[in-house]
Amino acid sequence: MDGYDCKIIAASFKGVQQVRDSFNYGAQAITAPVEVLKAIFKNPNIEKAVDDFNSDWYAMYGEGTGICDL
């Protein structure tokens, strides 16, 4: 190498597969539209865990109570 300290950043994505491909081809960081990022992180198991947590929280502390209120 030439001694440069740099990273490859990929941008201008239209879909999740393009993001996957960019990482597979060596990109180290990305910029992407919010809708693409939401699609990447969409996971029914995570959504259920968040819903369950919220239900448990509201049952214990009531709606409108945040962590800083405790």
Side-chain angles (χ1 to χ4, degrees):
M1 294 300 232
D2 294 329
Y4 294 106
D5 184 26
C6 61
K7 292 184 177 184
I8 299 169
I9 186 168
S12 191
F13 296 107
K14 304 290 188 258
V16 173
Q17 189 59 49
Q18 290 176 323
V19 173
R20 286 185 187 127
D21 291 344
S22 70
F23 284 121
N24 287 335
Y25 293 125
Q28 296 163 304
I30 65 156
T31 62
V34 171
E35 293 308 315
V36 172
L37 294 173
K38 284 181 181 179
I40 289 170
F41 293 107
K42 185 173 175 80
N43 181 315
N45 294 324
I46 292 172
E47 291 174 16
K48 181 178 180 335
V50 169
D51 291 342
D52 291 348
F53 177 87
N54 286 335
S55 294
D56 292 345
W57 181 274
Y58 297 146
M60 173 93 42
Y61 302 108
E63 287 198 45
T65 303
I67 191 83
C68 292
D69 299 319
L70 300 179

Coordinates of all heavy atoms in Angstrom, one line a residue:
M1 N 0.8 -1.2 0.0 CA 0.0 0.0 0.0 C 0.9 1.2 0.0 O 2.1 1.2 0.3 CB -0.9 0.0 1.2 CG -1.9 -1.1 1.2 SD -3.0 -1.0 -0.2 CE -4.6 -1.0 0.5
D2 N 0.2 2.3 -0.2 CA 0.9 3.6 -0.3 C 1.0 4.4 1.0 O 1.4 5.5 1.1 CB 0.3 4.5 -1.4 CG 0.5 3.9 -2.8 OD1 1.5 3.3 -3.0 OD2 -0.4 4.2 -3.6
G3 N 0.4 3.7 2.1 CA 0.5 4.4 3.4 C -0.7 5.3 3.7 O -0.6 6.1 4.7
Y4 N -1.7 5.4 2.8 CA -2.8 6.3 3.1 C -3.7 5.7 4.1 O -4.0 4.5 4.0 CB -3.6 6.5 1.8 CG -2.8 7.3 0.7 CD1 -2.3 6.7 -0.4 CD2 -2.5 8.7 0.9 CE1 -1.6 7.4 -1.3 CE2 -1.8 9.4 0.0 CZ -1.3 8.7 -1.2 OH -0.6 9.4 -2.1
D5 N -4.2 6.5 5.0 CA -5.2 6.0 6.0 C -6.6 6.5 5.5 O -7.0 7.6 5.7 CB -4.9 6.6 7.3 CG -5.8 6.1 8.4 OD1 -6.3 5.0 8.3 OD2 -6.0 6.8 9.4
C6 N -7.3 5.6 4.8 CA -8.6 5.9 4.3 C -9.5 4.7 4.3 O -9.0 3.6 4.5 CB -8.5 6.5 2.9 SG -7.7 5.3 1.7
K7 N -10.8 4.9 4.1 CA -11.8 3.9 4.1 C -12.6 4.1 2.8 O -12.7 5.2 2.3 CB -12.7 3.9 5.3 CG -11.9 3.5 6.6 CD -12.9 3.5 7.7 CE -12.1 3.0 9.0 NZ -12.9 2.9 10.1
I8 N -13.2 3.0 2.3 CA -14.1 3.0 1.2 C -15.5 3.2 1.7 O -16.0 2.5 2.6 CB -14.0 1.7 0.4 CG1 -12.6 1.5 -0.1 CG2 -15.0 1.7 -0.7 CD1 -12.4 0.1 -0.7
I9 N -16.2 4.3 1.2 CA -17.6 4.6 1.6 C -18.4 4.5 0.3 O -18.0 5.0 -0.7 CB -17.7 5.9 2.3 CG1 -19.2 6.1 2.8 CG2 -17.3 7.1 1.4 CD1 -19.4 7.3 3.7
A10 N -19.5 3.8 0.4 CA -20.4 3.6 -0.7 C -21.7 4.3 -0.5 O -22.1 4.5 0.6 CB -20.7 2.1 -0.9
A11 N -22.3 4.8 -1.6 CA -23.5 5.7 -1.4 C -24.4 5.5 -2.6 O -24.1 4.8 -3.6 CB -23.1 7.1 -1.3
S12 N -25.5 6.1 -2.5 CA -26.5 6.2 -3.6 C -27.2 4.8 -3.9 O -27.2 4.3 -5.0 CB -25.9 6.7 -4.9 OG -26.9 7.0 -5.9
F13 N -27.8 4.2 -2.8 CA -28.4 2.9 -2.9 C -29.9 3.1 -3.2 O -30.5 4.0 -2.7 CB -28.2 2.2 -1.6 CG -26.8 1.8 -1.3 CD1 -26.1 2.5 -0.3 CD2 -26.1 0.9 -2.0 CE1 -24.8 2.2 0.0 CE2 -24.8 0.6 -1.8 CZ -24.1 1.3 -0.8
K14 N -30.4 2.1 -3.9 CA -31.8 2.0 -4.2 C -32.5 0.8 -3.4 O -33.7 0.7 -3.3 CB -32.1 1.8 -5.7 CG -31.5 2.9 -6.5 CD -32.2 4.2 -6.3 CE -31.7 5.3 -7.3 NZ -30.8 6.2 -6.8
G15 N -31.6 -0.1 -2.9 CA -32.2 -1.3 -2.3 C -31.2 -2.0 -1.4 O -30.0 -1.7 -1.4
V16 N -31.7 -2.9 -0.6 CA -30.9 -3.7 0.4 C -29.8 -4.5 -0.3 O -28.7 -4.5 0.2 CB -31.8 -4.6 1.2 CG1 -31.0 -5.5 2.1 CG2 -32.8 -3.7 2.0
Q17 N -30.1 -5.1 -1.4 CA -29.1 -6.0 -2.1 C -27.9 -5.2 -2.5 O -26.7 -5.6 -2.4 CB -29.7 -6.7 -3.3 CG -28.7 -7.8 -3.8 CD -28.3 -8.8 -2.8 OE1 -29.2 -9.4 -2.1 NE2 -27.0 -9.1 -2.7
Q18 N -28.1 -3.9 -2.9 CA -26.9 -3.1 -3.3 C -26.0 -2.8 -2.0 O -24.8 -2.8 -2.2 CB -27.4 -1.8 -3.8 CG -28.0 -1.9 -5.2 CD -28.6 -0.6 -5.7 OE1 -29.1 0.2 -4.9 NE2 -28.5 -0.3 -7.0
V19 N -26.6 -2.6 -0.9 CA -25.9 -2.4 0.3 C -25.1 -3.7 0.7 O -23.9 -3.6 0.9 CB -26.8 -2.1 1.5 CG1 -26.0 -2.0 2.8 CG2 -27.5 -0.7 1.3
R20 N -25.7 -4.9 0.6 CA -25.0 -6.1 0.8 C -23.8 -6.3 -0.1 O -22.7 -6.6 0.3 CB -26.0 -7.3 0.7 CG -26.9 -7.5 1.8 CD -27.8 -8.7 1.6 NE -28.8 -8.8 2.6 CZ -30.1 -9.0 2.3 NH1 -30.5 -9.2 1.1 NH2 -31.0 -9.1 3.3
D21 N -24.1 -6.0 -1.4 CA -23.0 -6.2 -2.4 C -21.9 -5.2 -2.1 O -20.7 -5.6 -2.3 CB -23.6 -5.9 -3.8 CG -24.5 -7.0 -4.3 OD1 -24.6 -8.1 -3.7 OD2 -25.3 -6.7 -5.2
S22 N -22.2 -4.0 -1.7 CA -21.1 -3.1 -1.5 C -20.2 -3.6 -0.3 O -18.9 -3.4 -0.4 CB -21.6 -1.7 -1.1 OG -22.2 -1.6 0.1
F23 N -20.7 -4.1 0.7 CA -19.9 -4.6 1.8 C -19.2 -5.9 1.3 O -18.0 -6.1 1.7 CB -20.7 -4.9 3.0 CG -21.1 -3.7 3.8 CD1 -22.4 -3.4 4.1 CD2 -20.1 -2.9 4.3 CE1 -22.8 -2.3 4.8 CE2 -20.4 -1.7 5.1 CZ -21.8 -1.4 5.3
N24 N -19.8 -6.7 0.5 CA -19.1 -7.9 0.0 C -18.0 -7.6 -0.9 O -17.0 -8.3 -1.0 CB -20.1 -8.8 -0.7 CG -21.1 -9.5 0.2 OD1 -20.8 -9.8 1.4 ND2 -22.2 -9.9 -0.3
Y25 N -18.0 -6.4 -1.6 CA -17.0 -6.0 -2.5 C -16.0 -5.1 -1.8 O -15.1 -4.5 -2.5 CB -17.5 -5.4 -3.7 CG -18.3 -6.3 -4.6 CD1 -19.6 -6.1 -4.9 CD2 -17.7 -7.5 -5.0 CE1 -20.3 -7.0 -5.7 CE2 -18.4 -8.4 -5.8 CZ -19.7 -8.2 -6.1 OH -20.4 -9.0 -6.9
G26 N -16.1 -4.9 -0.5 CA -15.0 -4.2 0.2 C -15.3 -2.8 0.8 O -14.5 -2.2 1.4
A27 N -16.5 -2.3 0.6 CA -16.9 -1.0 1.3 C -16.8 -1.2 2.8 O -17.1 -2.3 3.3 CB -18.3 -0.6 0.9
Q28 N -16.4 -0.2 3.5 CA -16.3 -0.2 4.9 C -17.3 0.6 5.6 O -17.5 0.6 6.8 CB -14.9 0.2 5.3 CG -13.8 -0.8 4.8 CD -12.4 -0.2 4.8 OE1 -12.2 0.9 4.2 NE2 -11.5 -0.8 5.4
A29 N -18.0 1.5 4.8 CA -19.1 2.3 5.4 C -20.0 2.6 4.3 O -19.7 2.5 3.1 CB -18.5 3.6 6.0
I30 N -21.3 3.0 4.6 CA -22.3 3.4 3.6 C -23.0 4.6 4.1 O -23.1 4.9 5.2 CB -23.3 2.2 3.3 CG1 -24.1 2.0 4.6 CG2 -22.6 1.0 2.8 CD1 -25.4 1.3 4.3
T31 N -23.6 5.2 3.1 CA -24.7 6.2 3.3 C -25.9 5.7 2.5 O -25.7 5.2 1.4 CB -24.4 7.6 2.9 OG1 -24.2 7.7 1.5 CG2 -23.1 8.1 3.6
A32 N -27.1 5.7 3.1 CA -28.2 5.2 2.4 C -29.5 6.0 2.9 O -29.5 6.5 4.0 CB -28.4 3.7 2.8
P33 N -30.5 6.0 2.0 CA -31.8 6.6 2.4 C -32.4 5.9 3.6 O -32.2 4.7 3.8 CB -32.7 6.4 1.2 CG -31.7 6.1 0.1 CD -30.5 5.5 0.7
V34 N -33.1 6.6 4.4 CA -33.8 6.1 5.6 C -34.6 4.8 5.3 O -34.6 3.9 6.0 CB -34.7 7.2 6.3 CG1 -35.5 6.5 7.4 CG2 -33.8 8.3 6.8
E35 N -35.3 4.9 4.2 CA -36.2 3.7 3.8 C -35.3 2.4 3.6 O -35.7 1.3 3.9 CB -37.0 4.0 2.6 CG -38.1 5.1 2.9 CD -39.0 4.8 4.1 OE1 -39.4 3.6 4.3 OE2 -39.2 5.7 4.9
V36 N -34.2 2.6 3.0 CA -33.3 1.4 2.8 C -32.8 0.9 4.1 O -32.7 -0.3 4.4 CB -32.1 1.8 1.8 CG1 -31.1 0.7 1.8 CG2 -32.6 2.1 0.4
L37 N -32.4 1.9 5.0 CA -31.9 1.4 6.3 C -33.0 0.8 7.1 O -32.7 -0.2 7.8 CB -31.4 2.7 7.1 CG -30.1 3.3 6.5 CD1 -29.8 4.6 7.3 CD2 -28.9 2.3 6.5
K38 N -34.2 1.3 7.0 CA -35.3 0.6 7.7 C -35.5 -0.8 7.2 O -35.8 -1.7 8.0 CB -36.6 1.4 7.6 CG -36.7 2.6 8.4 CD -38.0 3.3 8.2 CE -38.1 4.6 9.0 NZ -39.4 5.3 8.7
A39 N -35.4 -1.0 5.9 CA -35.5 -2.3 5.3 C -34.4 -3.3 5.8 O -34.7 -4.5 6.0 CB -35.6 -2.3 3.8
I40 N -33.2 -2.7 5.9 CA -32.1 -3.6 6.4 C -32.3 -4.1 7.8 O -32.0 -5.2 8.1 CB -30.8 -2.7 6.3 CG1 -30.4 -2.5 4.9 CG2 -29.7 -3.4 7.1 CD1 -29.2 -1.5 4.7
F41 N -32.8 -3.2 8.6 CA -32.9 -3.6 10.1 C -34.3 -4.1 10.4 O -34.6 -4.4 11.6 CB -32.6 -2.4 10.9 CG -31.1 -2.0 10.8 CD1 -30.7 -0.9 10.1 CD2 -30.1 -2.8 11.4 CE1 -29.4 -0.6 10.0 CE2 -28.8 -2.5 11.3 CZ -28.4 -1.4 10.6
K42 N -35.2 -4.2 9.4 CA -36.5 -4.8 9.7 C -36.4 -6.3 10.0 O -35.8 -7.0 9.3 CB -37.4 -4.6 8.5 CG -38.9 -5.0 8.8 CD -39.8 -4.7 7.6 CE -41.1 -5.2 7.9 NZ -42.0 -4.4 8.7
N43 N -36.9 -6.6 11.2 CA -36.8 -8.0 11.7 C -38.0 -8.3 12.6 O -38.1 -7.6 13.6 CB -35.5 -8.2 12.4 CG -35.3 -9.6 12.9 OD1 -36.2 -10.3 13.4 ND2 -34.1 -10.2 12.7
P44 N -38.9 -9.2 12.2 CA -40.0 -9.5 13.0 C -39.7 -9.8 14.5 O -40.5 -9.5 15.4 CB -40.7 -10.7 12.3 CG -40.2 -10.7 10.9 CD -38.8 -10.1 11.0
N45 N -38.6 -10.5 14.7 CA -38.2 -10.9 16.1 C -37.9 -9.6 16.9 O -38.2 -9.5 18.1 CB -37.0 -11.8 16.1 CG -37.4 -13.2 15.5 OD1 -38.5 -13.6 15.7 ND2 -36.5 -13.8 14.7
I46 N -37.2 -8.7 16.3 CA -36.9 -7.5 17.0 C -38.1 -6.6 17.2 O -38.3 -6.1 18.3 CB -35.8 -6.6 16.2 CG1 -34.5 -7.4 16.2 CG2 -35.7 -5.2 16.8 CD1 -33.4 -6.8 15.2
E47 N -39.0 -6.6 16.2 CA -40.2 -5.8 16.4 C -41.1 -6.4 17.5 O -41.6 -5.7 18.4 CB -41.0 -5.8 15.1 CG -40.4 -5.0 14.0 CD -41.1 -5.0 12.7 OE1 -42.2 -5.5 12.7 OE2 -40.5 -4.6 11.7
K48 N -41.1 -7.7 17.6 CA -41.9 -8.4 18.7 C -41.2 -8.1 20.1 O -41.9 -7.8 21.0 CB -42.0 -9.9 18.5 CG -42.8 -10.6 19.6 CD -43.0 -12.0 19.4 CE -43.8 -12.8 20.4 NZ -43.8 -12.2 21.7
A49 N -39.9 -8.2 20.1 CA -39.2 -7.9 21.4 C -39.5 -6.5 21.9 O -39.7 -6.2 23.0 CB -37.7 -8.1 21.2
V50 N -39.5 -5.5 20.9 CA -39.7 -4.1 21.3 C -41.2 -4.0 21.8 O -41.4 -3.3 22.8 CB -39.4 -3.2 20.1 CG1 -39.9 -1.8 20.4 CG2 -37.9 -3.1 19.8
D51 N -42.1 -4.6 21.1 CA -43.5 -4.5 21.5 C -43.7 -5.1 22.8 O -44.4 -4.6 23.7 CB -44.4 -5.2 20.4 CG -44.5 -4.4 19.1 OD1 -44.1 -3.2 19.1 OD2 -44.9 -5.0 18.1
D52 N -43.1 -6.3 23.1 CA -43.2 -6.9 24.4 C -42.6 -6.1 25.5 O -43.2 -5.9 26.6 CB -42.5 -8.3 24.4 CG -43.3 -9.3 23.5 OD1 -44.4 -9.1 23.1 OD2 -42.7 -10.4 23.3
F53 N -41.5 -5.5 25.2 CA -40.8 -4.6 26.2 C -41.7 -3.4 26.5 O -41.9 -3.1 27.7 CB -39.5 -4.1 25.7 CG -38.8 -3.2 26.7 CD1 -38.0 -3.6 27.7 CD2 -39.0 -1.8 26.5 CE1 -37.4 -2.8 28.6 CE2 -38.4 -0.9 27.4 CZ -37.6 -1.4 28.5
N54 N -42.3 -2.8 25.5 CA -43.1 -1.6 25.7 C -44.4 -2.0 26.5 O -44.8 -1.3 27.5 CB -43.6 -1.0 24.4 CG -42.4 -0.2 23.8 OD1 -41.5 0.2 24.5 ND2 -42.5 -0.1 22.5
S55 N -44.9 -3.2 26.2 CA -46.1 -3.7 27.0 C -45.7 -3.9 28.5 O -46.5 -3.5 29.4 CB -46.7 -4.9 26.4 OG -47.2 -4.7 25.1
D56 N -44.6 -4.5 28.7 CA -44.2 -4.8 30.1 C -43.9 -3.5 30.8 O -44.2 -3.3 32.0 CB -42.9 -5.7 30.1 CG -43.2 -7.1 29.6 OD1 -44.4 -7.5 29.6 OD2 -42.2 -7.8 29.3
W57 N -43.2 -2.5 30.1 CA -42.9 -1.2 30.7 C -44.1 -0.5 31.1 O -44.2 0.0 32.2 CB -42.1 -0.4 29.7 CG -41.7 0.9 30.3 CD1 -42.4 2.1 30.3 CD2 -40.4 1.2 30.9 NE1 -41.7 3.1 30.9 CE2 -40.5 2.6 31.3 CE3 -39.3 0.5 31.3 CZ2 -39.5 3.2 32.0 CZ3 -38.3 1.1 31.9 CH2 -38.4 2.5 32.3
Y58 N -45.1 -0.4 30.2 CA -46.3 0.3 30.5 C -47.1 -0.3 31.6 O -47.7 0.4 32.4 CB -47.2 0.5 29.2 CG -46.6 1.3 28.1 CD1 -46.8 0.9 26.8 CD2 -45.7 2.3 28.4 CE1 -46.2 1.7 25.8 CE2 -45.1 3.1 27.4 CZ -45.4 2.7 26.1 OH -44.8 3.4 25.0
A59 N -47.1 -1.7 31.6 CA -47.8 -2.4 32.7 C -47.2 -2.1 34.1 O -47.8 -2.0 35.1 CB -47.8 -3.9 32.4
M60 N -45.8 -1.9 34.1 CA -45.1 -1.7 35.3 C -45.1 -0.2 35.7 O -45.4 0.1 36.9 CB -43.7 -2.2 35.2 CG -42.8 -1.8 36.3 SD -42.5 -3.0 37.7 CE -42.4 -4.6 36.9
Y61 N -44.9 0.7 34.8 CA -44.7 2.1 35.1 C -45.7 3.0 34.6 O -45.8 4.2 34.9 CB -43.3 2.6 34.6 CG -42.2 1.8 35.2 CD1 -41.5 0.9 34.4 CD2 -41.8 1.9 36.5 CE1 -40.4 0.1 34.9 CE2 -40.8 1.1 37.1 CZ -40.1 0.3 36.2 OH -39.1 -0.5 36.8
G62 N -46.6 2.6 33.6 CA -47.6 3.4 33.0 C -47.0 4.2 31.8 O -45.8 4.4 31.7
E63 N -47.9 4.5 30.9 CA -47.5 5.2 29.7 C -47.1 6.6 30.1 O -47.6 7.2 31.0 CB -48.7 5.3 28.7 CG -48.9 4.0 28.0 CD -49.7 4.1 26.8 OE1 -49.5 5.0 26.0 OE2 -50.7 3.3 26.6
G64 N -46.1 7.1 29.4 CA -45.6 8.5 29.6 C -44.5 8.5 30.6 O -44.0 9.6 30.9
T65 N -44.2 7.4 31.2 CA -43.0 7.4 32.2 C -41.8 6.9 31.5 O -41.8 5.8 30.9 CB -43.3 6.4 33.4 OG1 -44.6 6.8 34.0 CG2 -42.2 6.4 34.4
G66 N -40.8 7.7 31.5 CA -39.5 7.4 30.9 C -38.5 7.0 31.9 O -38.7 7.1 33.1
I67 N -37.4 6.5 31.4 CA -36.3 6.0 32.3 C -35.8 7.1 33.3 O -35.5 6.9 34.4 CB -35.1 5.4 31.5 CG1 -34.1 4.7 32.4 CG2 -34.4 6.5 30.7 CD1 -34.6 3.3 32.7
C68 N -35.8 8.4 32.8 CA -35.3 9.5 33.6 C -36.3 9.8 34.7 O -36.0 10.5 35.7 CB -35.1 10.7 32.8 SG -33.7 10.5 31.6
D69 N -37.6 9.3 34.6 CA -38.6 9.6 35.6 C -38.4 8.7 36.8 O -39.1 8.9 37.8 CB -40.0 9.5 35.0 CG -40.2 10.5 33.9 OD1 -39.8 11.6 34.1 OD2 -40.8 10.1 32.9
L70 N -37.7 7.6 36.7 CA -37.6 6.6 37.8 C -36.6 7.0 38.9 O -35.7 7.7 38.8 CB -37.2 5.3 37.2 CG -38.1 4.7 36.2 CD1 -37.6 3.4 35.7 CD2 -39.5 4.5 36.7

